[in-house]
Amino acid sequence: MTIWARNLDTGAVKWVYQLTPHDEWDYDAINEVILADQEIGGVKRKTAVHFDRNGFAYTLDRTNGELLVAEKYDPAVNWATKVDMDKSSKTYGRPLVVDKYSTEKNGEDTNTQGVCPAALGSKDEQPASFNPETGLFYVPTNHVCMDYEPFRVSYTAGQPYVGATLEMFPAGRVLGDKTDNTGNFIAWDARTGKIVWSDKEQFSVWSGTVTTAGGLAFYGTLEGYLKAVDLKTGKELYKFKTPSGIIGNVITYEHAGKQYVAVLSGVGGWAGIGLAAGLTKGNEGLGAVGNYASLSNYTALGGVLTVFALPN
Amino acid sequence: MRLSLAGALALGVIMSVGTAANAEAPGDPKAVKSVDGKYFDAKGDPTYNVKPDGTVDFYTFSGYRRYHSECHVCHGPNAEGSTYAPALKDSVKRFDYAEFSGIVIGGRENKQAGNDSVMPAFADNKNAMCYLDDIYVYLRARSTEAVGRGRPEKKEDKPAAFSDAETKCMSAK
């Protein structure tokens, strides 16, 4: 739940920032931290940008750990109202937790319902990317909420240590907006903390993304599409159906003077566990199966590298 | 608590010496009596109770949770087995409560034509030991499909006796 800045040569801690103090929802901050130099409030800052599992995107000054921006990058996020940005406040830098969604306040044996995001986070380990020309971040996201019921548990070395059951479902069920998509591919302005555009995806976007100088962002979908969209508008310009769901990272490279784009397909991971492990019931796979139950209608298991060459 | 665990452990060692062929089959899982929200069959072994509207007793619900935190990584979701551990919804039709307890507490090793499998001993794991009956009654409920796959939708309230026993067992040193 914490970002650590350490001296490369000595390992000494320079600063720390705790994203979800006393985590009650499994929002451990395992995601990447992207370094980008950006102008914020007229000042050029060396920033570190992090899209946390907890649904907030953080922009920090990486030289000293100062918190510059912390905003929700999925409007569904409800476990906290905001991150306190008031430097004179006692709770400065902390998320302001909503009691109704506090699994600790509700306590053992109580099923806390409709918490957004789900334990898999508004984004999990699939990396976002930064495009220096637009100044925006291109972020693969999950649009998923959960019910979370803790129960008493005790630690024994070498044995399972699980203290909650959970079930996940599309965020639309909590928002009441009749949507059932579980993902969005978004462009994010980390200087202001705002979504610039958002493309709905039926399933969580579980691939890494890449952008090019040609003005394109690439990502993959759980149904198996590799997509190219316009960096400025998000308009879909190209898609290709690979043999299996994409949870790999799209890459681009040059060889013998020609540019290529490549991606590994092969569904799996938390979102794809139902399909990969043959599970079918909602609570299985730590609650992921129900949410992605229809995935098997769209893709199959696989493991293929698909490479695209740019035309001459 | 420590004494009764040790007693159960000794029992486990004795029981696991017996072969599967000698295992005593469990009795009819039908609940014939209830004590403080916990149900028992005619032999006096713990069992499940599901009301006509689908409400399960709290012990069965608790067993569902404990099974899916302690057991399912090997034995598969809903007690339906995996490629490397048996479906316990079927196993509990073949051996009784005492043998079940013995295996969980003491562990066991099966060697069959190069297909060796090891069940670790859970004697030191309170998440299993304090809820042994709960897991057993959940498995019995799965063995007859009285409880289906997934989370039981309706459950009885947590009995005071359950809370007392849980607190005592989980806080025992």
Side-chain angles (χ1 to χ4, degrees), chain B:
Chain B
M1 188 56 217
R2 170 165 283 207
L3 269 180
S4 65
L5 261 186
L9 181 58
L11 174 68
V13 171
I14 293 159
M15 295 307 299
S16 60
V17 168
T19 64
N22 295 338
E24 195 174 336
D28 184 344
K30 186 178 162 41
V32 298
K33 70 167 179 170
S34 161
V35 180
D36 297 333
K38 188 171 184 175
Y39 294 83
F40 297 90
D41 66 14
K43 278 175 71 178
D45 290 339
T47 193
Y48 59 87
N49 190 57
V50 182
K51 290 181 179 155
D53 72 351
T55 302
V56 304
D57 67 285
F58 194 83
Y59 287 84
T60 299
F61 177 74
S62 170
Y64 156 79
R65 296 195 303 201
R66 297 294 162 179
Y67 176 87
H68 287 93
S69 55
E70 305 303 314
C71 318
H72 100 289
V73 291
C74 293
H75 289 283
N78 307 302
E80 291 178 336
S82 74
T83 51
Y84 46 87
L88 297 180
K89 68 193 280 260
D90 298 328
S91 303
V92 294
K93 293 178 196 166
R94 290 193 299 273
F95 52 63
D96 67 1
Y97 174 57
E99 183 164 0
F100 166 82
S101 305
I103 295 167
V104 178
I105 294 163
R108 80 169 173 185
E109 215 170 322
N110 287 331
K111 288 187 187 293
Q112 290 170 327
N115 197 13
D116 299 355
S117 66
V118 175
M119 162 82 182
F122 280 76
D124 292 336
N125 184 341
K126 287 182 181 173
N127 304 313
M129 287 303 101
C130 296
Y131 304 92
L132 201 55
D133 287 1
D134 313 28
I135 295 168
Y136 181 66
V137 301
Y138 169 70
L139 295 176
R140 287 189 101 176
R142 289 291 300 130
S143 77
T144 60
E145 294 285 346
V147 165
R149 303 175 74 187
R151 179 190 170 99
E153 279 180 27
K154 284 179 276 188
K155 59 178 187 289
E156 286 178 15
D157 289 340
K158 190 176 188 172
F162 184 105
S163 300
D164 292 347
E166 178 173 52
T167 299
K168 209 167 151 190
C169 184
M170 289 295 267
S171 55
K173 288 283 177 337

Side-chain angles (χ1 to χ4, degrees), chain A residues 63-83:
Chain A
T63 65
N64 58 14
E66 184 190 347
L67 182 63
L68 304 172
V69 178
E71 295 289 344
K72 297 172 181 179
Y73 63 95
D74 179 354
V77 173
N78 64 11
W79 68 278
T81 52
K82 63 173 187 173
V83 174

Side-chain angles (χ1 to χ4, degrees), chain A residues 104-170:
Chain A
E104 185 183 35
K105 281 223 165 66
N106 293 336
E108 250 170 53
D109 301 320
T110 301
N111 199 15
T112 297
Q113 294 182 300
V115 186
C116 309
L120 41 67
S122 294
K123 187 173 88 58
D124 209 330
E125 77 276 10
Q126 62 278 29
S129 54
F130 175 63
N131 185 282
E133 288 180 18
T134 60
L136 301 177
F137 288 78
Y138 296 87
V139 193
T141 72
N142 308 318
H143 190 56
V144 178
C145 304
M146 68 176 170
D147 296 343
Y148 186 110
E149 183 184 76
F151 49 80
R152 201 171 300 189
V153 70
S154 117
Y155 177 72
T156 305
Q159 298 256 346
Y161 186 48
V162 175
T165 59
L166 51 151
E167 187 163 6
M168 305 191 204
F169 38 81

Side-chain angles (χ1 to χ4, degrees), chain A residues 216-264:
Chain A
L216 300 175
F218 291 91
Y219 67 100
T221 73
L222 284 178
E223 308 107 288
Y225 285 106
L226 173 83
K227 292 189 175 181
V229 303
D230 186 298
L231 279 182
K232 294 205 168 90
T233 63
K235 184 172 182 243
E236 187 180 299
L237 302 171
Y238 175 81
K239 71 174 172 182
F240 178 88
K241 186 92 182 314
T242 66
S244 181
I246 297 174
I247 59 169
N249 301 326
V250 189
I251 57 168
T252 183
Y253 58 95
E254 186 186 311
H255 176 67
K258 205 168 172 62
Q259 188 177 0
Y260 296 87
V261 172
V263 70
L264 285 164

Side-chain angles (χ1 to χ4, degrees), chain A residues 11-34:
Chain A
V13 177
K14 178 101 185 203
W15 53 264
V16 296
Y17 175 65
Q18 199 173 20
L19 304 134
T20 311
H22 194 66
D23 181 11
E24 305 166 45
W25 308 268
D26 193 5
Y27 294 152
D28 42 311
I30 45 81
N31 314 350
E32 79 286 0
V33 176
I34 302 174

